[in-house]
Amino acid sequence: MRAMSPPVGLPMLAESDLVRQVARRLTDAIVQGRLAPGAKVAEAAVARELGISRAPVREAARLLESQGLLKASPRRGFFVRELSAQDVDELYALRLCVERHAAVEAARRLTPALREALRRQLDLMRDLARRDDPVAIVEADYQFHRLICEAAGNARLLRLFDGLASELRIVIGLIGRLYDDSDEIARTHEPVLEAIEAGHPERIVAHVDHHIGVARREVGRLVRSLTPHPERDAEIP
């Protein structure tokens, strides 16, 4: 008899909008490292833990596959996607294009309210660092960058950024492993915000290039250092 996989702490769900709720729970588990790259997402185990049928779990897995978080393997199921060094490089190249433009436009459109929102997000990252909550910090990191894209006032640009969101969440989760000092993540955002507040396009682009470039280099190094392995048949750890 096949052994049941142990739970990973997924909370019970309400009946409404189950597919998106399941997708969100699985996304959180991936970003937090409870579902590691290459791990199998076992439909039966997830459904049992969430107290639902397998159908919404399967649909959620398909949704996350379309977003780049999961990869389907014929007759084997869904696995957490493993990012290669090339994947990371391509993703950061696109991020640079999007966020350079977004930051310059955000500076041009900066209002006291937008400035305050960005400052609050930076303060939140510092507060989370004091609480030693690295998972919440990397989510706050993602939200900081999204706020800049929102401030740019370009709906198409924001949709493009959101289209990268799933892969960015995996990468930002990796960033959390680059710093022994959690407060370092917040500190690396300060020069970017100061440049936006100052409003000088060349300075903004230089700081965005440095900020994202450091992450691009370090995450690429981290991905290359990880020992490659085939997709594991192990169910949720």
Side-chain angles (χ1 to χ4, degrees), residues 41-200:
V41 178
E43 294 175 12
V46 172
R48 182 171 59 250
E49 188 170 351
L50 296 177
I52 59 176
S53 69
R54 293 178 62 170
V57 176
R58 188 175 304 112
E59 290 303 311
R62 288 173 179 156
L63 175 62
L64 294 183
E65 181 191 18
S66 72
Q67 295 176 355
L69 269 177
L70 299 182
K71 180 180 178 181
S73 179
R75 297 182 298 279
R76 297 181 65 208
F78 291 92
F79 296 80
V80 179
R81 183 179 172 190
E82 296 179 277
L83 292 176
S84 68
Q86 181 177 343
D87 290 329
V88 170
D89 195 59
E90 291 175 354
L91 181 60
Y92 273 99
L94 185 53
R95 278 196 70 183
L96 277 171
C97 293
V98 170
E99 296 195 43
R100 283 170 182 156
H101 179 73
V104 170
E105 286 300 302
R108 191 170 67 85
R109 295 169 173 267
L110 194 65
T111 64
L114 288 172
R115 179 187 181 280
E116 180 61 25
L118 288 164
R119 280 283 160 194
R120 283 198 306 269
Q121 194 65 26
L122 197 57
D123 289 342
L124 174 61
M125 281 193 272
R126 293 193 187 99
D127 183 55
L128 292 170
R130 287 191 291 270
R131 298 185 210 170
D132 194 24
D133 190 345
V135 171
I137 291 170
V138 296
E139 179 62 22
D141 181 336
Y142 165 78
Q143 291 298 333
F144 178 88
H145 288 274
R146 192 181 191 280
L147 276 172
I148 293 174
C149 292
E150 286 182 2
N154 185 324
R156 287 179 174 83
L157 183 145
L158 183 59
R159 285 199 297 271
L160 179 58
F161 182 84
D162 283 341
L164 299 171
S166 293
E167 290 175 295
L168 287 175
R169 287 173 186 273
I170 294 178
V171 172
I172 292 174
L174 289 173
I175 291 173
R177 298 174 55 184
L178 298 178
Y179 299 104
D180 293 328
D181 177 6
S182 296
D183 193 52
E184 181 67 13
I185 296 180
R187 286 197 295 269
T188 62
H189 290 76
E190 182 72 40
V192 175
L193 181 50
E194 288 178 351
I196 291 173
E197 291 171 337
H200 301 297

Side-chain angles (χ1 to χ4, degrees), residues 205-228:
V205 170
H207 280 289
V208 169
D209 282 1
H210 177 74
H211 177 72
I212 295 179
V214 168
R216 181 182 190 175
R217 181 177 65 252
E218 294 303 313
V219 174
R221 178 191 57 77
L222 176 59
V223 170
R224 286 190 294 271
S225 74
L226 298 176
T227 304

